[in-house]
Amino acid sequence: MTRSLLADLSLSAAVAGFVAVLVGFTSSVALVFAAAQAVGATPAQTASWIWALGLGMGLTSLGLSWWYRQPVLTAWSTPGAALIAATHGVPMAEAIGAFLVCAVLIAIVGYTGWFERVMDHIPAAIASALLAGVLTRFALDAVLAGGVQPALVIGMAAAFLAGRRWWPRYAVPGVLLVGIGIAGWLGLLHGGQVAWGWAQPVWTSPQWSVRALVGIALPLFLVTMASQNLPGVAAQRASGYRIPVSPVVGATGVASLLLAPFGGHAVNLAAITAAICLSPEAHADPARRYTASVAAGVFYIVAGLAGGAVAGLFTALPRELVVAVAGLALLSTIGTGLAGALRDEQHRDAALLTFLVTLSGVSFLGIGSAFWGVVAGGVAWLSAARRS
């Protein structure tokens, strides 16, 4: 198996894995720190929180991708971190108890097959539109970043076009290198933020309370399933992969359960970063793209072990560089999603509604736009089916 993995691995896949980790950390690591502060975590507990999430994402991404020979990338629950960051009056020990309850619920809906049965009823056009809507926000952010750092973003876009023309497999690595070079030339790199050192896991014994159950555990479970796992499965299916949903989601629940006492609030399927590993830029052969998420798993493990040092290293890069890399790396996947969403005229209205509601970023009842996009598209699809 190791020889097969090494034979399948390519430079483009390894770089795609690195870019996925880069985007995953820099886009939301501040929310994780805010969540830790909200529940009164000490600096050691905060570093342990990053350690737990890094190992959880790394081991699940590496293990599941290698086992199934398909790209399975996991991430921490970003809306979950935002929810915890808005919490007041819940101490760290009670938050840990809530994380354990959430993890058990994720494992149950995964292994029982309940979540997979829901996903099987979502039409392919709506799943493709959901994926395109989630990813298009990153492409728009890349365009808007050009107004803040035009030299950086235009230079990276030129490198991308040149790469697509002459070395398509290495277009994204070229964009990353050019972006770092231009950022360094413009003085936008901030290496002084890095505090080197290995993270140490800190065990926090859980405590149980009704306020933590109602205020954290149940909302964390709902937003993780609706805003993370749902678009994560949609991203895989829109890219042509039929990964067994039940054991994969169940495994993320088990990983979350084991790492919760160290601070890991929730591990789930990735959508935005997974699309980077699912794209043709990761590997020309779809059967070998799993190596991109395996590489991402390795990078996540390193990030977790290094804790705050790696978080500081990633945040030392300018935001405009990160969103430009993400937007350019996701272009082909966005195009594929839109093509799949609009191919069938019968489902076109439902797909467009899904795309627009998801793209809007609207949030209601603490649940993000990905879920409401599926609801809007599903209602339109059922309405059209009844008319016909």
Side-chain angles (χ1 to χ4, degrees):
M1 291 179 66
T2 303
R3 287 196 298 270
S4 175
L5 173 64
L6 294 176
D8 290 342
L9 186 63
S10 68
L11 175 61
S12 59
V15 173
F18 176 78
V19 170
V21 173
L22 171 69
V23 172
F25 256 87
T26 54
S27 63
S28 58
V29 70
L31 280 176
V32 175
F33 285 118
Q37 291 174 355
V39 296
T42 66
Q45 288 174 323
T46 302
S48 175
W49 197 314
I50 298 294
W51 175 89
L53 291 174
L55 259 65
M57 296 183 297
L59 292 174
T60 51
S61 296
L62 191 159
L64 292 171
S65 298
W66 201 350
W67 180 259
Y68 290 112
R69 289 295 197 276
Q70 297 187 71
V72 181
L73 191 67
T74 59
W76 61 56
S77 177
T78 299
L83 183 148
I84 298 165
T87 300
H88 301 286
V90 177
M92 182 69 172
E94 291 183 15
I96 295 296
F99 300 167
L100 289 169
V101 173
C102 174
V104 170
L105 292 175
I106 293 173
I108 289 173
V109 299
Y111 284 123
T112 57
W114 295 343
F115 181 65
E116 185 168 9
R117 284 194 287 273
V118 171
M119 289 301 305
D120 287 341
H121 286 85
I122 297 177
I126 292 180
S128 296
L130 171 65
L131 173 64
V134 169
L135 301 184
T136 300
R137 293 188 61 82
F138 273 73
L140 290 176
D141 286 343
V143 174
L144 294 173
V148 181
Q149 292 292 341
L152 174 63
V153 176
I154 292 173
M156 294 173 68
F160 177 77
L161 293 175
R164 294 285 288 176
R165 172 65 177 83
W166 287 294
W167 51 89
R169 286 188 61 188
Y170 304 106
V172 174
V175 168
L176 180 60
L177 291 175
V178 169
I180 292 174
I182 296 176
W185 177 61
L186 295 175
L188 300 176
L189 301 179
H190 307 290
Q193 299 179 12
V194 182
W196 301 105
W198 297 106
Q200 298 294 325
V202 177
W203 174 279
T204 302
S205 297
Q207 294 180 4
W208 316 99
S209 70
V210 173
R211 65 176 176 178
L213 175 65
V214 175
I216 296 181
L218 296 180
L220 178 61
F221 165 71
L222 291 175
V223 299
T224 298
M225 298 304 298
S227 300
Q228 297 279 165
N229 282 329
L230 190 152
V233 175
Q236 293 170 348
R237 293 187 172 181
S239 299
Y241 294 97
R242 301 293 297 186
I243 297 166
V245 175
S246 297
V248 168
V249 172
T252 64
V254 171
S256 300
L257 182 67
L258 295 175
L259 293 167
F262 302 100
H265 62 280
V267 175
N268 46 247
L269 292 175
I272 296 167
T273 50
I276 297 173
C277 297
L278 292 165
S279 69
E281 283 76 12
H283 205 294
D285 184 357
R288 298 184 178 184
R289 288 178 197 159
Y290 76 94
T291 57
S293 48
V294 168
V298 174
F299 289 125
Y300 269 133
I301 291 172
V302 173
L305 293 174
V310 172
L313 182 63
F314 284 151
T315 54
L317 299 175
R319 176 185 177 277
E320 293 77 18
L321 184 152
V322 175
V323 298
V325 169
L328 293 168
L330 293 170
L331 277 180
S332 62
T333 307
I334 294 171
T336 301
L338 286 173
L342 303 177
R343 183 178 297 117
D344 188 348
E345 186 174 354
Q346 181 182 359
H347 295 156
R348 192 165 295 168
D349 288 345
L352 280 172
L353 275 173
T354 302
F355 172 74
L356 292 173
V357 174
T358 303
L359 178 60
S360 72
V362 66
S363 178
F364 182 62
L365 299 177
I367 300 176
S369 61
F371 174 77
W372 299 116
V374 173
V375 171
V379 170
W381 177 71
L382 289 173
S383 175
R386 288 179 179 176
R387 287 200 307 269
S388 60

